[in-house]
Amino acid sequence: MDVDVVVIGLGPGGEYAAQKLAEAGLSVVGVEKALVGGECPFYGCIPSKMIIRAADALAEARRAGSLSGRADVAPDYGPVATRLDKQATNHWNDDSHATRLEEAGVEIVRGHGRLDGPGRVVVDGTTYVASRGVILNSGTEPATPPIDGLADTPYWTNREVMRLTELPASLVVIGGGAIGAELAQAFARFGVRVTVVEVVDRILGPEEPEAARVIGDVFRAEGIEVITGAEIGRVDHDGTFTLTLADRTLEAEQLLVAAGRRTNLSDVGLETLGLDSGAKVVETDERLRAGERLWAVGDITGKGAFTHVSMYQAAVVVRDVLGEDGPWADYRAVSRVTFTDPEVGSVGMTERQARDAGLRVVTGHADLPESSRGWIHQAGNEGLIKLVADADRGILVGATSIGPSGGEVLGLLAAAVHAETPVATLRGMHFAYPTFHRAIEVALADLGL
Ligand SMILES: Cc1cc2nc3c(=O)[nH]c(=O)nc-3n(C[C@H](O)[C@H](O)[C@H](O)COP(=O)(O)OP(=O)(O)OC[C@H]3O[C@@H](n4cnc5c(N)ncnc54)[C@H](O)[C@@H]3O)c2cc1C
């Protein structure tokens, strides 16, 4: 069958590209082997943030007593399992995603798509020939760390968690990255006894060390045990889970493994275009071109495993396919948010990355509890602003915003890093009083530039 474009995998980027190209009048086939929409709406961003929204509301209600000076105003929360059940039943088919694409003119083909040379894709024996080319958006699966015994146990990944209707009494989370941290805190706030086990020496490893300190302190205060630098010898399951660490054992009713993602690249036919089918990521240029008549978008490109990166890249591909001018892909100011409470928002380079890049780095800090808004907020006011500046160019190259709505405060900092706004210009801004973002003014002064 001849078409203009075939999209393999309809995660956020593939879905976006397919829709936009079909709306532009091209004939588009979208191939999906599971759920149209990919990880984000069903197993990832959206259901996890729905769970977190409920957990945060409970935590905020618990803070009411301390804020009002009346311990007795804390309400009875009711059965939290009801909330989980509602989330699961409201959100478990891909009709809305598939319908939106079909209304735009995309032909959806259900099955496993495999490249078969430039511009060719085979699905269940049918070959599709794409005159403009193929967009690969095959995404990721949860990775299984090589721990003795683990593979034989009924452990959870994010995919099982998003379907839960009942809470366990206790949970061990392997992995203290964004996904593990977010879910650990949410479960703890629902009343589950939670232990986070992280093999490196701090949680939230890719973020600034200050993030690990703030979130680690909050977790401990909320009763979450955090074990870092752990050596996990083996995992057993005998009704309950037992983790054998170097110096102790842990027991829990359930085990969640949130230890990274594995890209779906081994069986998509990359070798038919002369590319390495054993590679962990697909190399792309600034137009996301990966080979002859092949573009790649999303987590498989290794440029940030985020929905907004996948959609940003898809927009670049759409421009390239339609023969439009750029802008082409630029990753200087990728922003990301860990939706713990407080949220950890960050953009661009960490201090370490900036130093490793050879920049003359200066940093500026502001502690949120000492800001006017932090003082007003009281319970739950933990956080800080950290700025990373290139002293030679007088611009911010990275920033972290930890606090209530830290991800929202990040917007200003992301714009500054993206636009390379001079620090002198930022310092001359008005910062509304008493907002959380006003703490940025203090951090700018602390840069000493
Ligand atoms: C628990 C969790 C929380 C997250 N929270 C956030 C968040 O808050 N913010 C954020 O930005 N990101 C978040 N993410 C990451 C986000 O989900 C991904 O970055 C996002 O889904 C983009 O992925 P993608 O476009 O690469 O494709 P994916 O979403 O991985 O989709 C790929 C699709 O391709 C299909 N597929 C694969 N191979 C084939 C094939 N050969 N043929 C046909 N179909 C195929 C798959 O079935 C899948 O539907 C979260 C992830 C998880 C797991």
Side-chain angles (χ1 to χ4, degrees):
M1 182 179 171
D2 292 341
V3 293
D4 291 321
V5 175
V6 175
V7 183
I8 301 178
L10 294 172
E15 185 181 26
Y16 179 91
Q19 180 175 342
K20 293 296 172 194
L21 291 172
E23 285 171 352
L26 301 192
S27 59
V28 180
V29 162
V31 186
E32 174 53 57
K33 67 177 182 181
L35 289 161
V36 176
E39 197 81 7
C40 179
F42 302 105
Y43 307 115
C45 335
I46 293 177
S48 64
K49 265 83 258 180
M50 290 169 77
I51 290 171
I52 288 165
R53 166 81 178 113
D56 286 357
L58 287 173
E60 204 55 17
R62 286 176 187 129
R63 288 168 180 154
S66 89
L67 291 173
S68 65
R70 296 244 334 254
D72 58 329
V73 300
D76 176 4
Y77 312 115
V80 291
T82 307
R83 179 70 185 81
L84 290 174
D85 198 29
K86 182 165 176 286
Q87 174 258 315
T89 50
N90 277 358
H91 206 72
W92 202 250
N93 70 60
D94 66 2
D95 288 353
S96 63
H97 291 263
T99 303
R100 192 170 58 232
L101 286 186
E102 283 166 347
E103 283 175 357
V106 176
E107 183 186 343
I108 296 176
V109 174
R110 303 276 179 173
H112 182 103
R114 207 170 188 286
L115 292 160
D116 181 33
R120 294 167 62 87
V121 173
V122 177
V123 188
D124 290 333
T126 302
T127 301
Y128 298 85
V129 180
S131 57
R132 307 250 182 149
V134 177
I135 303 170
L136 184 64
N137 176 230
S138 51
T140 61
E141 305 266 338
T144 306
I147 301 170
D148 280 352
L150 177 64
D152 300 325
T153 67
Y155 66 87
W156 288 343
T157 68
N158 62 296
R159 297 194 175 170
E160 286 74 28
V161 165
M162 302 314 162
R163 302 181 201 220
L164 288 186
T165 56
E166 300 291 333
L167 292 164
S170 56
L171 176 72
V172 168
V173 180
I174 296 181
I179 294 171
E182 288 180 358
L183 292 172
Q185 188 181 40
F187 274 89
R189 288 180 165 192
F190 286 140
V192 177
R193 184 166 56 77
V194 176
T195 307
V196 177
V197 180
E198 170 58 61
V199 294
V200 302
D201 63 359
R202 65 169 201 248
I203 60 169
L204 301 182
E207 302 299 339
E208 296 280 11
E210 290 87 341
R213 181 175 51 72
V214 173
I215 300 303
D217 288 349
V218 168
F219 277 14
R220 278 181 281 274
E222 294 188 8
I224 302 169
E225 186 179 8
V226 179
I227 302 171
T228 54
E231 288 173 38
I232 310 172
R234 62 173 293 112
V235 174
D236 294 286
H237 182 258
D238 176 19
T240 59
F241 286 88
T242 304
L243 272 77
T244 308
L245 307 186
D247 52 353
R248 60 187 283 201
T249 57
L250 296 173
E251 301 222 331
E253 185 180 328
Q254 293 294 348
L255 172 67
L256 166 63
V257 176
R261 313 282 303 173
R262 186 178 59 76
T263 47
N264 294 321
L265 292 178
S266 61
D267 192 22
V268 291
L270 286 173
E271 66 285 357
T272 67
L273 280 90
L275 302 173
D276 179 6
S277 60
K280 290 208 169 83
V281 297
V282 180
E283 298 298 334
T284 50
D285 67 10
E286 61 176 2
R287 295 170 187 232
L288 281 311
R289 292 183 186 181
E292 191 178 344
R293 278 195 277 158
L294 179 70
W295 290 266
V297 299
D299 294 3
I300 58 171
T301 64
K303 302 295 186 191
F306 306 109
T307 288
H308 49 276
V309 170
S310 187
M311 296 181 73
Y312 169 93
Q313 292 176 323
V316 170
V317 172
V318 167
R319 286 194 285 274
D320 197 26
V321 172
L322 297 178
E324 295 173 1
D325 283 339
W328 308 122
D330 173 351
Y331 303 104
R332 283 174 307 110
V334 174
S335 53
R336 59 235 175 233
V337 178
T338 301
F339 291 88
T340 44
D341 173 21
E343 292 177 353
V344 179
S346 54
V347 59
M349 290 191 256
T350 61
E351 179 182 353
R352 175 84 271 147
Q353 288 170 330
R355 291 192 190 284
D356 288 348
L359 302 182
R360 191 161 68 84
V361 172
V362 291
T363 62
H365 289 80
D367 284 328
L368 225 51
E370 284 161 30
S371 69
S372 300
R373 181 57 181 273
W375 184 84
I376 292 164
H377 198 78
Q378 292 290 319
N381 68 357
E382 297 86 354
L384 55 86
I385 302 290
K386 177 173 179 177
L387 306 179
V388 180
D390 176 347
D392 291 330
R393 287 188 293 162
I395 58 167
L396 300 182
V397 292
T400 295
S401 151
I402 308 172
S405 306
E408 307 305 324
V409 171
L410 181 70
L412 189 164
L413 297 167
V417 174
H418 176 77
E420 300 187 339
T421 312
V423 168
T425 305
L426 296 172
R427 289 176 65 178
M429 272 177 57
H430 296 272
F431 293 86
Y433 181 89
T435 57
F436 286 116
H437 79 254
R438 191 172 159 81
I440 293 171
E441 187 178 36
V442 176
L444 285 166
D446 191 45
L447 287 170
L449 285 176

